[in-house]
């Protein structure tokens, strides 16, 4: 390739690696020659020069979980764009297996780690056992010096409730999962902040904590309407709950969204699109969360490490289960 471009091997290398000391005309000539020859840089050789293996260890506790797969896809896509590979290990929540995989990945000389939580609760830090850069994705490390990228559940709840308030809903109830889940508590915090900002109170007085299930959604809806029949909107902590809510509203002759607007959480397509009617919901945007974690790890590998918590924003997906209140 260098011969075809009429330059030395060192100049060709500098041109392909974006070094500033190469003239624009020379760089263009080298790139043209590389394209003609279908040249691909040798990743192994580049790794030997840089002292890197261009591999990342990805340690998860629940590979089969619904939230894990999109995060993994985001990580893999971002790293593949940088010609890096991922070595995936599933500890299945077992501490001994986790320590074994950390040792195995370090023996493979991975350049860094992404630790994927099975939920968004705070988890014990693993960084002291890992001598390379680490980023925590979805779950959050309990060490404030670690870099964690969880979903912004409080912000996601704000999006949902601000949407309902913008539709002139004034009697908003909340049905959610177990209070032991940080995600459920964070979503309640976002809900209460928006209600307070608009001078509203929560219909029924308190959030209804229960299970992440349709059954709980059905049961809690009957209880909520018994104590607050004026309800004109229900914000649900998950799409599963929301489907149960919509089913009971339909059975009781309450029209969705004309009488009661319903918003879910997670944008779980299996539930959100099959709901009657299709469900407005909050999308955690997990694939982009994974890509963000990967980019932050790449920054650390390039000498720009960071710490603290980077909350990844959610987005609202509006479907037919919400609409302006009737006059």
């Amino acid at each position: 390739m260098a011969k075809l471009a009429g330059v030395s091997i060192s100049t060709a290398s500098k041109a392909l690696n974006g070094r500033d000391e190469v003239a624009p005309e020379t760089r263009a000539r080298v790139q043209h020659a590389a394209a003609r020859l279908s040249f691909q840089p040798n990743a192994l050789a580049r790794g030997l020069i840089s002292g890197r293996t261009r591999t990342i260890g990805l340690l998860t506790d629940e590979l089969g979980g619904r939230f894990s797969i999109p995060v993994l896809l985001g990580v893999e896509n971002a790293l593949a764009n940088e010609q890096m590979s991922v070595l995936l290990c599933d500890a299945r929540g077992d501490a001994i297996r986790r320590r074994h995989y950390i040792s195995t990945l370090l023996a493979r000389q991975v350049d860094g780690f992404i630790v994927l939580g099975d939920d968004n609760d705070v988890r014990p830090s693993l960084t002291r056992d890992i001598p390379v850069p680490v980023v925590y994705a979805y779950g959050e490390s309990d060490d404030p010096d670690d870099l964690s990228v969880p979903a912004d559940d409080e912000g996601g709840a704000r999006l949902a409730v601000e949407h309902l308030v913008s539709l002139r809903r004034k009697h908003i109830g909340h049905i959610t999962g177990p209070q032991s889940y940080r995600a459920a508590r964070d979503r309640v915090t976002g809900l209460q902040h928006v209600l307070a900002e608009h001078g509203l109170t929560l219909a029924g007085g308190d959030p209804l904590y229960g299970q992440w299930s349709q059954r709980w959604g059905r049961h809690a809806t009957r209880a909520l309407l018994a104590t607050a029949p004026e309800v004109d909107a229900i914000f649900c902590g998950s799409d599963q709950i929301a489907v149960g809510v919509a089913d009971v509203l339909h059975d009781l002759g309450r029209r969705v969204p004309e009488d009661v607007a319903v918003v879910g959480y997670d944008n779980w397509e299996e539930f959100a699109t099959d709901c009657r009617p299709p469900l407005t919901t909050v999308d955690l945007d997990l694939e982009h969360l994974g890509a963000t974690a990967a980019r932050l790890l790449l920054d650390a590998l390039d000498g720009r490490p960071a710490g603290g918590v980077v909350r990844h924003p959610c987005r609202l997906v509006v479907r037919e289960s919400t609409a302006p209140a009737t006059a």
Side-chain angles (χ1 to χ4, degrees):
M1 181 197 64
K3 183 176 180 180
L4 179 62
V7 299
S8 68
I9 293 175
S10 63
T11 299
S13 176
K14 292 175 183 178
L16 291 174
N17 286 285
R19 301 281 289 275
D20 293 336
E21 56 263 40
V22 179
E25 298 82 2
T26 303
R27 188 188 314 280
R29 197 161 69 248
V30 171
Q31 290 172 341
H32 178 70
R36 284 186 59 188
L37 296 174
S38 299
F39 174 80
Q40 293 292 330
N42 187 307
L44 177 59
R46 291 172 62 181
L48 290 172
I49 294 170
S50 65
R52 297 183 185 174
T53 61
R54 304 194 67 78
T55 57
I56 297 299
L58 201 156
L59 184 63
T60 181
D61 275 328
E62 190 185 5
L63 181 57
R66 193 185 70 80
F67 298 108
S68 298
I69 298 302
V71 177
L72 294 174
L73 289 174
V75 169
E76 197 279 331
N77 286 338
L79 294 177
N81 289 338
E82 299 297 325
Q83 295 186 320
M84 300 187 74
S85 301
V86 178
L87 297 178
L88 173 62
C89 294
D90 183 6
R92 304 175 198 172
D94 183 85
I96 295 175
R97 185 186 295 267
R98 189 180 302 115
R99 287 196 297 271
H100 165 71
Y101 281 139
I102 290 173
S103 297
T104 299
L105 291 169
L106 290 174
R108 294 288 190 96
Q109 297 183 311
V110 295
D111 296 327
F113 274 75
I114 291 177
V115 178
L116 174 57
D118 57 348
D119 58 42
N120 80 333
D121 282 328
V122 175
R123 59 171 298 152
S125 174
L126 302 174
T127 306
R128 63 182 176 276
D129 300 322
I130 302 175
V132 294
V134 183
V135 174
Y136 296 80
Y138 192 55
E140 181 179 329
S141 168
D142 64 0
D143 186 338
D145 292 330
D146 289 341
L147 179 58
S148 303
V149 188
D152 184 4
D153 278 299
E154 184 175 334
R158 291 188 66 99
L159 290 175
V161 183
E162 286 170 351
H163 174 63
L164 292 171
V165 171
S166 75
L167 300 176
R168 296 181 287 124
R169 307 292 171 148
K170 299 183 182 301
H171 306 287
I172 302 171
H174 185 47
I175 301 172
T176 191
Q179 193 169 6
S180 59
Y181 274 71
R182 183 184 182 192
R185 300 192 302 273
D186 285 350
R187 293 166 194 175
V188 168
T189 299
L191 159 74
Q192 291 173 332
H193 283 166
V194 175
L195 293 179
E197 289 166 4
H198 292 275
L200 301 175
T201 57
L202 186 63
D206 295 303
L208 296 178
Y209 290 102
Q211 302 300 315
W212 306 113
S213 68
Q214 293 171 253
R215 181 178 181 182
W216 167 241
R218 291 192 293 268
H219 174 80
T221 301
R222 293 184 183 277
L224 177 61
L225 293 177
T227 58
E230 73 280 8
V231 163
D232 60 7
I234 301 176
F235 169 43
C236 305
S238 77
D239 292 341
Q240 288 173 281
I241 292 172
V243 170
V245 168
D247 286 345
V248 167
L249 291 172
H250 178 76
D251 292 345
L252 296 177
R254 299 284 189 103
R255 298 171 300 163
V256 179
E258 293 83 358
D259 300 325
V260 182
V262 178
V263 177
Y265 210 103
D266 296 332
N267 197 26
W268 192 346
E269 188 171 352
E270 177 182 340
F271 292 98
T273 58
D274 287 344
C275 185
R276 300 180 299 167
L279 188 62
T280 292
T281 183
V282 177
D283 192 324
L284 293 166
D285 205 15
L286 293 175
E287 192 165 334
H288 283 108
L289 185 153
T292 297
R295 286 194 294 270
L296 289 170
L297 181 60
L298 291 172
D299 287 344
L301 295 175
D302 287 337
R304 301 189 302 276
V309 179
V310 177
R311 299 202 179 279
H312 189 76
C314 304
R315 63 187 183 93
L316 185 68
V317 180
V318 179
R319 298 190 180 96
E320 288 89 333
S321 69
T322 57
T326 54

